[in-house]
Amino acid sequence: MTWEAPLIERTARLDALGTVPERQMLEGWLNWHRETLLTKCAGLSPAQLAGATVEPSGLTLLGLVRHMAEVERWWFRRGFAGEAVGAVFTGPADGDEGLVGVRAADAERDFGRFRDEIEACDAAAAGHGLDETFLSSGGRPLSLRWVYVLLIQEYARHNGHADFLRERTDGATGDG
């Protein structure tokens, strides 16, 4: 049987986040958005994941998965944790890393890299306070809280793109 993007069992529940402590809320929202991106991909073949469906854009669902692995690595591991790690995916260093060079043949590997990166990013943030800071590449002090908020907005923006891409692929809409 040919690989397809796995079905996602949601672990993040938004209705449980209304009154929890801030760290739990930020982690919950981030996990909900991570799972939303994977839900938009669930059940699709590598060719469907790598297909650009909203012309004239070349944006793909697989490209979004790859890009978000890069964004997570950049902010949690390189920025906040100061890890000397290279790119997950090669490509232009212009903020669109991972979006280009998408190949259907690499879909299963790329999903594995995304999941591995999420695990590594969660580990990089674990045990650190939201007020802990680091210097951005531009020399600005930023907090771990800022990284969580940035990632939530980045996923929210790209999950909107994923909505359109999935609907154009097979008509599926919604969060579940």
Side-chain angles (χ1 to χ4, degrees), residues 2 7 24 27 29 32 66 68 79 83 89 101-102 118 133 141 153 161-162 169 175:
T2 304
L7 299 178
Q24 190 177 347
E27 289 174 348
W29 272 101
W32 187 85
R66 291 162 43 101
M68 290 312 300
E83 293 179 30
F89 302 103
V102 174
I118 297 307
T133 62
Q153 77 77 30
H161 299 133
T169 298
D175 294 331

Side-chain angles (χ1 to χ4, degrees), residues 96-115:
D96 289 339
E97 293 84 356
L99 293 174
V100 298
V102 174
R103 292 176 359 111
D106 297 332
E108 184 175 9
R109 180 204 67 184
D110 292 351
F111 268 72
R113 287 182 174 175
F114 175 82
R115 286 204 166 100

Side-chain angles (χ1 to χ4, degrees), residues 8-14 17 23-39 72 76 114-115 117-119 121-123 148 151-153 155-156 159 175:
I8 302 303
E9 185 174 328
R10 286 223 184 243
T11 60
R13 296 184 41 87
L14 295 183
L17 298 177
R23 177 66 174 259
Q24 190 177 347
M25 183 180 292
L26 291 171
E27 289 174 348
W29 272 101
L30 180 56
N31 286 328
W32 187 85
H33 278 293
R34 289 168 170 167
E35 291 173 358
T36 296
L37 179 58
L38 293 175
T39 297
E72 294 242 11
F76 279 115
F114 175 82
R115 286 204 166 100
E117 197 55 41
I118 297 307
E119 193 174 300
C121 289
D122 286 347
Y148 275 104
L151 265 289
I152 290 166
Q153 77 77 30
Y155 271 103
N159 282 339
D175 294 331

Side-chain angles (χ1 to χ4, degrees):
M1 181 171 184
T2 304
W3 180 89
E4 62 181 35
L7 299 178
I8 302 303
E9 185 174 328
R10 286 223 184 243
T11 60
R13 296 184 41 87
L14 295 183
D15 59 346
L17 298 177
T19 58
V20 299
E22 181 183 19
R23 177 66 174 259
Q24 190 177 347
M25 183 180 292
L26 291 171
E27 289 174 348
W29 272 101
L30 180 56
N31 286 328
W32 187 85
H33 278 293
R34 289 168 170 167
E35 291 173 358
T36 296
L37 179 58
L38 293 175
T39 297
K40 293 296 174 186
C41 298
L44 296 179
S45 70
Q48 289 173 308
L49 292 166
T53 59
V54 183
E55 296 80 15
S57 173
L59 193 62
T60 67
L61 287 165
L62 185 56
L64 290 174
V65 168
R66 291 162 43 101
H67 176 67
M68 290 312 300
E70 285 294 338
V71 172
E72 294 242 11
R73 177 177 277 215
W74 177 262
W75 288 108
F76 279 115
R77 296 182 64 198
R78 288 182 181 162
F80 177 73
E83 293 179 30
V85 291
V88 182
F89 302 103
T90 58
D94 62 0
D96 289 339
E97 293 84 356
L99 293 174
V100 298
V102 174
R103 292 176 359 111
D106 297 332
E108 184 175 9
R109 180 204 67 184
D110 292 351
F111 268 72
R113 287 182 174 175
F114 175 82
R115 286 204 166 100
D116 291 346
E117 197 55 41
I118 297 307
E119 193 174 300
C121 289
D122 286 347
H128 293 279
L130 293 175
D131 291 326
E132 287 187 46
T133 62
F134 65 100
L135 292 179
S136 72
S137 59
R140 291 181 304 146
L142 301 171
S143 69
L144 180 57
R145 175 184 292 102
W146 185 91
V147 173
Y148 275 104
V149 172
L150 173 79
L151 265 289
I152 290 166
Q153 77 77 30
E154 183 84 3
Y155 271 103
R157 184 165 62 99
H158 288 312
N159 282 339
H161 299 133
D163 283 338
F164 288 119
L165 294 168
R166 180 62 189 250
E167 185 175 12
R168 288 294 303 247
T169 298
D170 69 355
T173 61
D175 294 331

